[in-house]
Amino acid sequence: MKVLVIGNGGREHALAWKLLQSPQVEQVFVAPGNGGTAVMERCQNLPLSVDNFDGIKEAVWERGIDLVAIGPELPLAMGIVDYLEQNGIAVFGPSQTGAQIEASKSWAKGIMREAKIPTATAAVFTDDEFDAAVAYVRKQGAPIVVKADGLAAGKGVTVAKTEEEAIAAIKESFNGKFGIAGECVVIEEFLTGEEVSVLALIDGETVLPLLPAQDHKAVGEGDTGPNTGGMGAYAPAPLVTPELMEQILQKVFQPVITLFRSWKIDYRGVLYAGLMILPSNEIKVLEFNCRFGDPETQVILPLLETPLADLMLACVQRRLASLPPLRWQPGVAASVVVAAGGYPGSYRKGDAIAGIERAEALGAIVFHAGTKLQDGLVLTDGGRVLNITTTAPTFDEAFARAYAAVDCIQFPDCFCRRDIGYRVRSAF
Ligand code: AMP
Ligand code: GLY
């Protein structure tokens, strides 16, 4: 079997790496891929951007690819699954309609209201309703959360401590900071608690949850500073007990899928729920994503023993219900992001990275995120550069080994958060 993974981040490197462990997979292609997928055995990068649907279709036909797995949200929101399926190609991922659950926060709020899924109280305003949006902020008071409706690469959410900050965020959004993604905003009640990411495989009907994970979105230690795509992660999240997972399935996932079915939305792929667990143990949905999480995937997949290709095919062919239970390696996984100085603001690209082999020799899995291979050298090519990942019996061991491997990595101005996993490490 030949599989094509679409995307170029750490998530896609992890997907390609795990797919290659499936006995039936002989080769994986990644479009466009990164420096890590470029050098992996039985893996080949294809120089195609994620929105080049025609090019992707041609590559599938030319190379006899059996399955396409979509990593990022952008091509999903643009309808890549509908396009490839119309051309007779098997694709893992939801249709353009289903992908709206991530691509439009107001649409997702509508789904949650309709399906009675617990979430923060919110109101939606379009850019001709600025005064009404301000009045709503004044009435609700701060702290309050302002979210651009559309895709904004993880940067569209402002957790405003004051009413003025919220109003400034609305103004910026309406003034075009996020392009059309910000022409509409969702203004939402501020929630406190602990965040977890629960990802589930969906075949249109059956929901099969993966291990729960936690990531660290803020760039700074102690969860301070601006939000990023994620600075590190671990799994399984101990906060999600089997009882809580059952509640999450009953109160969040099942209602979405039941509603989708009644609306004739054929959702196949991953549904990711970003959840706030309140101190009372109540569950509230912060967001849905229509894809694997990044960096959550980098800690979930190393623990997965069931062949990933089997799971993806079962989703595509609507037969998740007939699979035996998922098999997981005992123990835990941890991942620390090594980033380029300046991220999530502007940062340099093109610096040579040293120490990857030494990190691997310590037993770490080095998933590449923002890297590229040029003239035989691995160079930085993004803000989040590497995901240094380990598995171990305990979180203390997993993080000790991950940070030992992180310390091998060198490039100018590289940095990481030293406190990833502080909730589960005994040293904190
Ligand atoms: P989202 O993309 O909607 O998940 O938001 C990004 C991040 O903003 C989340 O991971 C939370 O840390 C934070 N956030 C979003 N919504 C809320 C909320 N209602 N209350 C508190 N924090 C929030
Ligand atoms: N780690 C957050 C995300 O994938 O959206």
Side-chain angles (χ1 to χ4, degrees):
M1 181 176 171
K2 292 180 190 167
V3 187
L4 168 61
V5 176
I6 303 296
N8 65 350
R11 165 183 54 206
E12 287 75 21
H13 188 181
L15 287 167
W17 171 85
K18 186 45 89 175
L19 281 164
L20 282 167
Q21 293 172 14
S22 301
Q24 72 271 51
V25 174
E26 61 186 88
Q27 192 174 17
V28 171
F29 297 92
V30 189
N34 60 30
T37 55
V39 298
M40 212 164 32
E41 270 180 44
R42 293 187 288 134
C43 187
Q44 185 186 332
N45 286 350
L46 302 177
L48 293 165
S49 63
V50 302
D51 58 358
N52 182 356
F53 294 0
D54 273 339
I56 290 166
K57 174 190 73 182
E58 295 297 332
V60 168
W61 285 347
E62 262 167 40
R63 293 166 192 276
I65 288 166
D66 304 285
L67 175 70
V68 183
I70 315 296
E73 61 278 16
L74 186 71
L76 291 167
M78 290 171 65
I80 192 169
V81 172
D82 312 67
Y83 175 87
L84 294 177
E85 280 186 343
Q86 278 155 20
N87 285 283
I89 295 166
V91 203
F92 177 85
S95 63
Q96 186 170 29
T97 311
Q100 282 189 87
I101 199 156
E102 173 166 5
S104 168
K105 287 185 187 291
S106 58
W107 194 81
K109 277 286 180 194
I111 292 278
M112 288 187 259
R113 196 177 323 112
E114 190 74 22
K116 301 194 171 50
I117 293 168
T119 184
T121 308
V124 178
F125 299 92
T126 51
D127 58 1
D128 55 352
E129 298 173 316
F130 178 70
D131 291 344
V134 171
Y136 184 77
V137 169
R138 294 284 183 217
K139 181 163 151 259
Q140 301 295 317
I144 192 160
V145 184
V146 178
K147 300 183 175 187
D149 184 58
L151 295 180
K155 300 188 177 100
V157 174
T158 304
V159 178
K161 290 185 198 70
T162 63
E163 292 173 20
E164 273 54 46
E165 209 185 316
I167 291 162
I170 298 166
K171 209 177 262 170
E172 277 184 346
S173 190
F174 287 171
N175 282 342
K177 184 176 180 187
F178 308 110
I180 53 169
E183 285 175 359
C184 172
V185 293
V186 175
I187 306 180
E188 188 170 283
E189 171 196 7
F190 172 75
L191 300 171
T192 48
E194 210 177 305
E195 279 182 56
V196 291
S197 308
V198 177
L199 283 66
L201 299 169
I202 314 276
D203 68 355
E205 186 170 350
T206 300
V207 177
L208 190 59
L210 304 178
L211 290 182
Q214 282 185 294
D215 76 347
H216 292 268
K217 290 213 169 75
V219 71
E221 279 157 21
D223 294 329
T224 54
N227 268 352
T228 69
M231 293 299 290
Y234 50 94
L239 178 70
V240 185
T241 58
E243 297 72 40
L244 189 60
M245 182 60 101
E246 192 50 40
Q247 277 193 48
I248 292 167
L249 292 177
Q250 294 313 322
K251 293 184 177 166
V252 178
F253 284 92
Q254 287 302 345
V256 177
I257 299 311
T258 303
L259 186 69
F260 275 180
R261 279 164 61 80
S262 75
W263 286 5
K264 305 269 181 286
I265 296 173
D266 183 20
Y267 196 101
R268 283 174 293 153
V270 170
L271 181 62
Y272 162 144
L275 305 168
M276 187 73 92
I277 310 300
L278 308 194
S280 60
N281 248 10
E282 210 181 322
I283 303 159
K284 299 264 187 181
V285 175
L286 293 178
E287 65 164 344
F288 283 113
N289 294 320
C290 60
R291 50 165 176 87
F292 282 105
D294 187 346
E296 289 90 335
T297 303
Q298 291 88 306
V299 288
I300 294 171
L301 293 184
L303 297 171
L304 179 68
E305 286 184 340
T306 307
L308 180 60
D310 289 355
L311 296 176
M312 286 185 167
L313 280 177
C315 280
V316 173
Q317 297 165 354
R318 308 173 205 280
R319 48 179 182 75
L320 272 185
S322 64
L323 289 187
L326 292 182
R327 283 181 288 114
W328 297 100
Q329 178 185 312
V332 304
S335 187
V336 177
V337 169
V338 180
Y343 176 76
S346 58
Y347 50 82
R348 274 200 351 213
K349 289 184 182 180
D351 289 314
I353 306 169
I356 292 175
E357 282 173 9
R358 277 201 297 139
E360 287 171 340
L362 293 180
I365 313 165
V366 178
F367 290 125
H368 291 228
T371 75
K372 67 175 175 192
L373 188 68
Q374 196 174 299
D375 304 326
L377 285 178
V378 178
L379 306 180
T380 64
D381 195 38
R384 291 188 293 172
V385 177
L386 298 171
N387 307 135
I388 310 295
T389 307
T390 57
T391 58
T394 66
F395 282 117
D396 280 345
E397 279 172 74
F399 279 104
R401 289 186 29 224
Y403 280 108
V406 163
D407 290 336
C408 299
I409 303 296
Q410 283 175 327
F411 58 87
D413 296 333
C414 64
F415 76 99
C416 69
R417 271 183 65 168
R418 289 274 155 192
D419 67 340
I420 299 300
Y422 63 82
R423 288 192 175 88
V424 293
R425 286 157 69 187
S426 58
F428 279 87

